[in-house]
Amino acid sequence: MTPAVLAALVGAALVGLGLYGLIVHPHPLRKLLAFNLVGSGAFLVFGMVARRGAAAGLAFDPVPQAMVITGIVVAFAASALAVALVLRLFATSGRVDLDPRVWTRPDDDSSTS
Amino acid sequence: MSIQTFLDIALALLVIGVAVWTIVARDLFVAVVAYAVYGLFLALVWIRMYAPDVALTEAAVGGGVTGVLLVAAGKRLDMSAIDIDRQKPSTTLAILAAGCSILFAGVLMIVILSLPAPAPTLAPQAAAAASGPGAGLGNPITAVLMSYRSFDTMLEKVVLILAVVGVWSVGADQAWGAAPAPFGPDRPYDALVFLAKALAPVGAIIGFHIFWTGADAPGGAFQGGALLAAMWMVALMARLIELPRIDARWLRLALVAGPAVFLAVGIAGAMLAGSFFAYPSAFAKPLILSIEAFMVLSIAVALTMLVAGPPYRKGAP
Amino acid sequence: MIDGAETTQGGDLLVLAVLLPVAGIIFSFVLGGRYAERVSICLAPLGLVLACAVAAAVAHAGKPLAYAIGGLPPPLGIALRADGISATMLVAVAIIVSAAFLYARAKFDTPERIKETRSALTFWILLQAVWAGLTIIVLGGDLFSLYVALEVMTFAAVPLVCIDGRPETLVAALRYLLFALVGSICYLLGVALFYGSYGTLDIALLAQKAGPNLVVWVAASLMTAGLLAKTALFPLHLWLPPAHANAPAAASAVLSGLVVKGSFFLTLRIWFFILPTLPAVGPSTVLGLLGSAAILVGSALALRQPRLKLLIAYSTVAQIGYLFLVFPLATGAHVWSTIGWSAGVMQVLAHAFAKAAMFFSAGLLAESLGHDQIGRLKGAARALPLTFVTLGLGGLSLMGLPPSGGFSAKWLMLRASVASGQWIWSAPVLVGGLLAAGYVYRILTPALGDGEITLKSPPQRGREVIALALVLIALALGFMPPGFFDFIEIGRPLAAGRPA
């Protein structure tokens, strides 16, 4: 078991852990934290693939590592968007509950075009 | 069992432990701090996997900037008013979720252990292409990001712009055009101001160096840009400078500079180098570095604006 | 099957098709204000021309176009590819996005004295971003590029859902975002496993290398699960109705008509282009069953909705179910697979046009009447004739009545299920048609009845015509010549008579 494989197994554990947090926590920011755990776990799997691909004088396969770098930035951008939505939701309504039953009004006359 | 294996296992357990802490912490703020710590330990794991570029990115963006984002968010949410955080999940949901996660993680682990060996890899092709399309870059990851798979990188810059637009779009209508709400209090602590004055310039130079050296050594535009963004945020927190208005022309230009230059060079490549996004071999490396310079600017500005949030005007809903 | 390495004649068109909306986003962002709208309106016809040029080139060549970006072929580089369905989708996307641009001008223009408004800039940039994302999804030949394209779509679609800022829309947008992000990560995990197994992410190269082993099955399942979350297939459909119903009509049209089709398109790419030779009876059946459940649940829920836009959104959930019947009906190299494939593609197109038209009409209705409560529509058809004609014709396609693309799609599905001996799939098709008739009549019957309706403001004729034009295209799809069905087979592995 090389360090890379160990790291990927840790990644798998993180994916499971993050999934648990996503399902169980009602607060959207906690869900976001859990999502970030899942994301970083997935990236660790990429990292193992990169390390296993050491060849031709390189200590790693650069392609998966480049993908991870792209993925980290995209995940951050997603977090920023989610945070902005949550903060705005709190500012306009004082609540951050995502349960749709909380938001459905009995006579929903809201109409937009 | 050698010392190295022992350390690896210790690090793995540490990472998982902090991750568990992030999930089970009662308080949102504690969870966010735990996540930032997790990010730093994760960077160590990346170093162990011979991925210094990724470690830098994870530490800077994944742990650092994301940490700032979430801490700032946690502070803006008036915690006393939110009881949803205190709700405990129902036991059935918790058990179901635990079952799902264990199953998922288990299957993933089995599959990871079933991956073929010897591992297929593109390292030989990357090494072979280093002198040609790779523009003689010493850092193969930079070659992948800026040359072999430049299309993905350009798209990712577009994603950053879209995220900025998305974040700006949740502001109030009346606040449009104004600057985002300031990071810090109106009268910051003297210590913070001193730290900013001492740290920010040094950090900025280091950030620039990380970008510049990324052509041939670990580093690159993303890492350098993230560090520059962090230093800018430190200066903003100390109120040494203020956030720009979102309709400022220079801000818009700075944000699109990276993808715009990338696009322009890509289109020019069709005429000068025979294919879209190809580089003329004579000056490929300087061209790539110039594109990266603009990218650093865009990334630094985008990351900061993403953390800063939507435009804000006192009194607007 | 095409060779992954070559850049073919006409491949430049593919890059131009991708770069056009990207350039639009950049220019719109910098110029800002009302220029964002002008850039969009200018680029839309160019995009349509490019899409038609790509389609013509593919039809002329009889095989897919390809372009190796940077002159570097896969596996190290990235390729763009246009086959039959890519070109078809490209044209459909260009038409519907252009229609959305024109329709939205009235609502998202920048008023005279103001330099820039929040909703206008956001709308024009994000709609172009949806266009860009869809273009890359249909043309992309590399799984990681497709991941970034999926993220482009998510980041474009989510803020469109909450563009009017009401808390309910923010909640809908947040749920959509979380579903979409989890979906993306599942997709990414699958990508990692594919790369770890074969060292490439190019679709054509993977097709040559991939075989039925545990890693491939898990990877394909992960990617499919993630894409199902984004396509809102039952039981992962919960985020869709509030998101699509509360977005502005132009956005809903694009979200229901095109955005969900993007992730569905990638599901097709995985199962029909990368893994066509896999013995996929199990997964196809699962997808078919989920699709059937979606048809039944979505239609049943649509019958109970008090608001028109919610009804149309639940109808989307149901119609998405039809899309997944393509899996049991077209997998494998059987004689009837072509019929199943044609059915799936026809359903994608017919639903896209019909649903977009219906959302446009619902938007006009809501603007004119001030509400979209179905219970208060008595006599509305007299006041809004053109709008209700559009709604009726759209309903025709959704029900699957001739002449319409919807009828073609369902007729082909029935033929395929009979020809393949899988009679079971006829049931959801027929029952779904009946349920669709139910909810379409729910809208039309009170409207056609007696009642006096006063309009808050009459709808603009131009916008009604746009909606009508889209629904007429949905109807015209029922008359596609056989050449069209040959066209959509170009580049598909295991297309009848072609070698794998």
Side-chain angles (χ1 to χ4, degrees):
Chain A
M1 153 121 32
T2 65
V5 177
L6 179 61
L9 293 178
V10 168
L14 291 169
V15 169
L17 203 54
L19 213 57
Y20 175 80
L22 253 172
I23 299 176
V24 148
H25 282 297
H27 193 300
L29 283 188
R30 305 289 308 248
K31 287 191 198 275
L32 187 65
L33 275 174
F35 158 73
N36 275 309
L37 282 181
V38 176
S40 49
F43 297 145
L44 281 176
V45 177
F46 268 99
M48 174 199 82
V49 170
R51 177 72 182 122
R52 276 169 24 115
L58 292 173
F60 50 80
D61 184 348
V63 175
Q65 286 194 8
M67 292 178 188
V68 171
I69 293 178
T70 305
I72 291 177
V73 176
V74 170
F76 167 74
S79 301
L81 183 60
V83 162
L85 289 175
V86 171
L87 288 179
R88 180 66 179 168
L89 179 62
F90 181 68
T92 51
S93 72
R95 292 180 293 186
V96 290
D97 200 336
L98 290 186
D99 186 352
R101 289 167 296 184
V102 174
W103 296 97
T104 317
R105 293 172 288 186
D107 179 22
D108 196 340
D109 203 14
S110 51
S111 62
T112 49
S113 55
Chain B
M1 179 151 82
S2 71
I3 266 287
Q4 283 202 335
T5 323
F6 179 73
L7 285 175
D8 283 334
I9 296 184
L11 186 58
L13 290 174
L14 201 57
V15 166
I16 295 187
V18 181
V20 169
W21 187 25
T22 309
I23 297 289
V24 304
R26 295 292 214 88
D27 196 16
L28 174 64
F29 189 71
V30 173
V32 171
V33 171
Y35 178 75
V37 173
Y38 161 82
L40 295 178
F41 283 132
L42 204 56
L44 291 177
V45 174
W46 283 108
I47 292 185
R48 194 72 188 92
M49 279 210 280
Y50 287 78
D53 297 69
V54 181
L56 277 170
T57 316
E58 174 64 48
V61 179
V65 185
T66 310
V68 172
L69 175 75
L70 293 169
V71 166
K75 302 212 113 209
R76 282 179 192 173
L77 291 175
D78 179 9
M79 294 317 304
S80 59
I82 297 190
D83 53 1
I84 183 181
D85 205 24
R86 303 277 173 263
Q87 279 173 18
K88 290 189 65 107
S90 73
T91 328
T92 35
L93 186 64
I95 294 181
L96 256 157
C100 274
S101 343
I102 294 176
L103 188 63
F104 205 86
V107 169
L108 209 51
M109 287 190 196
I110 294 174
V111 171
I112 285 170
L113 294 171
S114 321
L115 282 173
T121 173
L122 286 176
Q125 284 94 323
S131 48
L137 291 166
N139 183 350
I141 297 181
T142 307
V144 172
L145 283 172
M146 299 301 295
S147 175
Y148 313 145
R149 299 186 65 105
S150 54
F151 187 67
D152 289 347
T153 310
M154 190 210 60
L155 281 186
E156 183 209 348
K157 312 308 322 304
V158 173
V159 167
L160 277 180
I161 294 186
L162 294 179
V164 170
V165 171
V167 165
W168 285 355
S169 77
V170 295
D173 276 322
Q174 293 93 317
W176 187 259
F183 272 148
D186 287 333
R187 255 148 358 154
Y189 291 124
D190 290 336
L192 180 56
V193 177
F194 174 72
L195 180 73
K197 285 184 182 171
L199 180 63
V202 176
I205 292 178
I206 297 179
F208 189 77
H209 169 79
I210 289 180
F211 141 63
W212 188 256
T213 194
D216 295 313
F222 289 105
Q223 298 86 338
L227 200 49
L228 288 173
M231 292 303 108
W232 189 8
M233 283 188 245
V234 167
L236 286 167
M237 280 183 220
R239 304 301 287 265
L240 293 177
I241 46 181
E242 293 301 324
L243 280 161
R245 288 176 56 95
I246 65 164
D247 57 5
R249 185 54 61 103
W250 73 263
L251 180 67
R252 301 276 176 104
L253 283 170
L255 282 166
V256 299
V261 169
F262 218 139
L263 202 64
V265 173
I267 294 175
M271 292 169 270
L272 299 175
S275 179
F276 285 103
F277 294 99
Y279 301 107
S281 47
F283 35 89
K285 188 164 176 181
L287 206 53
I288 288 180
L289 281 171
S290 328
I291 300 177
E292 278 203 291
F294 285 103
M295 268 174 58
V296 170
L297 175 65
S298 291
I299 291 168
V301 177
L303 292 182
T304 310
M305 297 314 290
L306 283 175
V307 175
Y312 173 76
R313 189 167 276 151
K314 258 198 170 64
Chain C
M1 277 304 291
I2 65 159
D3 178 8
E6 306 277 297
T7 294
T8 64
Q9 183 87 320
D12 302 23
L13 291 172
L14 306 184
V15 182
L16 290 175
V18 170
L19 295 185
L20 191 69
V22 171
I25 294 172
I26 293 178
F27 278 113
S28 301
F29 188 71
V30 172
L31 298 173
R34 54 179 47 82
Y35 294 101
E37 180 185 336
R38 291 183 195 162
V39 166
S40 312
I41 302 286
C42 288
L43 292 185
L46 289 178
L48 188 53
V49 166
L50 266 175
C52 293
V54 168
V58 172
H60 180 74
K63 60 188 190 56
L65 303 179
Y67 193 90
I69 298 184
L72 189 66
L76 193 59
I78 296 175
L80 295 176
R81 279 193 201 90
D83 45 27
I85 48 169
S86 304
T88 315
M89 284 296 296
L90 213 54
V91 174
V93 167
I95 296 177
I96 296 181
V97 166
S98 307
F101 282 157
L102 291 173
Y103 174 88
R105 292 193 76 186
K107 183 154 192 246
F108 288 102
D109 64 339
T110 314
E112 274 305 307
R113 307 279 187 73
I114 304 179
K115 213 175 70 143
E116 187 177 77
T117 67
R118 176 191 69 90
S119 50
L121 186 75
T122 308
F123 182 82
W124 295 108
I125 290 183
L126 293 182
L127 209 54
Q128 289 182 83
V130 169
W131 182 20
L134 282 166
T135 307
I136 301 166
I137 283 184
V138 301
L139 294 180
D142 176 278
L143 289 180
F144 191 75
S145 305
L146 292 172
Y147 162 74
V148 187
L150 282 173
E151 295 304 294
V152 167
M153 295 258 286
T154 302
F155 281 60
V158 166
L160 280 176
V161 168
C162 61
I163 198 171
D164 69 359
R166 287 177 301 138
E168 310 85 71
T169 63
L170 287 166
V171 172
L174 262 170
R175 284 164 62 91
Y176 181 13
L177 182 62
L178 287 171
F179 267 94
L181 289 178
V182 175
S184 301
I185 285 294
C186 287
Y187 178 90
L188 206 57
L189 274 169
V191 168
L193 295 174
F194 266 118
Y195 189 89
S197 297
Y198 299 110
T200 177
L201 292 176
D202 183 66
I203 290 180
L205 289 176
L206 274 177
Q208 289 166 8
K209 296 185 181 185
N213 55 55
L214 174 67
V215 180
V216 165
W217 281 115
V218 172
S221 308
L222 276 171
M223 293 173 78
T224 308
L227 292 169
L228 291 186
K230 288 169 171 292
T231 317
L233 179 67
F234 179 89
L236 300 170
H237 63 284
L238 296 168
W239 61 264
L240 189 146
H244 287 199
N246 290 317
S252 302
V254 170
L255 289 170
S256 260
L258 297 176
V259 173
V260 295
K261 308 294 180 347
S263 33
F264 174 71
F265 189 88
L266 288 188
T267 326
L268 291 180
R269 278 270 186 252
I270 294 172
W271 291 102
F272 288 97
F273 288 81
I274 298 181
L275 306 172
T277 50
L278 236 59
V281 176
S284 310
T285 314
V286 169
L287 288 173
L289 286 172
L290 289 176
S292 309
I295 297 174
L296 298 173
V297 169
S299 308
L301 288 173
L303 284 169
R304 297 177 36 189
Q305 294 305 313
R307 281 182 52 205
L308 180 61
K309 288 185 76 177
L310 269 174
L311 185 153
I312 300 180
Y314 275 102
S315 160
T316 299
V317 171
Q319 297 281 321
I320 286 171
Y322 282 106
L323 293 176
F324 283 88
L325 291 178
V326 78
F327 286 96
L329 293 176
T331 305
H334 309 276
V335 168
W336 35 267
S337 299
T338 313
I339 308 177
W341 182 255
S342 308
V345 175
M346 182 56 73
Q347 171 69 9
V348 169
L349 296 172
H351 180 248
F353 284 101
K355 194 47 64 78
M358 289 185 79
F359 265 119
F360 283 166
S361 303
L364 289 169
L365 191 148
E367 269 180 24
S368 298
L369 295 177
H371 68 87
D372 69 337
Q373 297 281 339
I374 299 181
R376 288 158 60 186
L377 284 182
K378 274 186 102 50
R382 228 173 306 277
L384 300 165
L386 207 52
T387 303
F388 274 94
V389 164
T390 310
L391 280 172
L393 292 178
L396 199 76
S397 185
L398 293 182
M399 283 189 267
L401 288 179
S404 65
F407 167 72
S408 275
K410 283 149 187 97
W411 176 238
L412 287 166
M413 281 181 211
L414 290 172
R415 277 183 56 198
S417 66
V418 167
S420 63
Q422 303 177 71
W423 289 81
I424 182 174
W425 304 118
S426 318
V429 174
L430 294 170
V431 174
L434 283 173
L435 291 173
Y439 60 71
V440 169
Y441 283 140
R442 256 197 88 210
I443 311 171
L444 294 181
T445 322
L448 291 169
D450 295 321
E452 280 303 313
I453 296 268
T454 38
L455 298 178
K456 271 175 60 180
S457 59
Q460 287 163 305
R461 192 57 22 129
R463 300 170 88 195
E464 290 187 300
V465 167
I466 294 172
L468 189 64
L470 285 184
V471 86
L472 288 177
I473 296 179
L475 262 48
L477 285 170
F479 296 103
M480 292 309 258
F484 172 73
F485 296 105
D486 291 331
F487 180 73
I488 58 178
E489 288 278 23
I490 294 179
R492 178 166 92 90
L494 299 189
R498 283 162 223 261

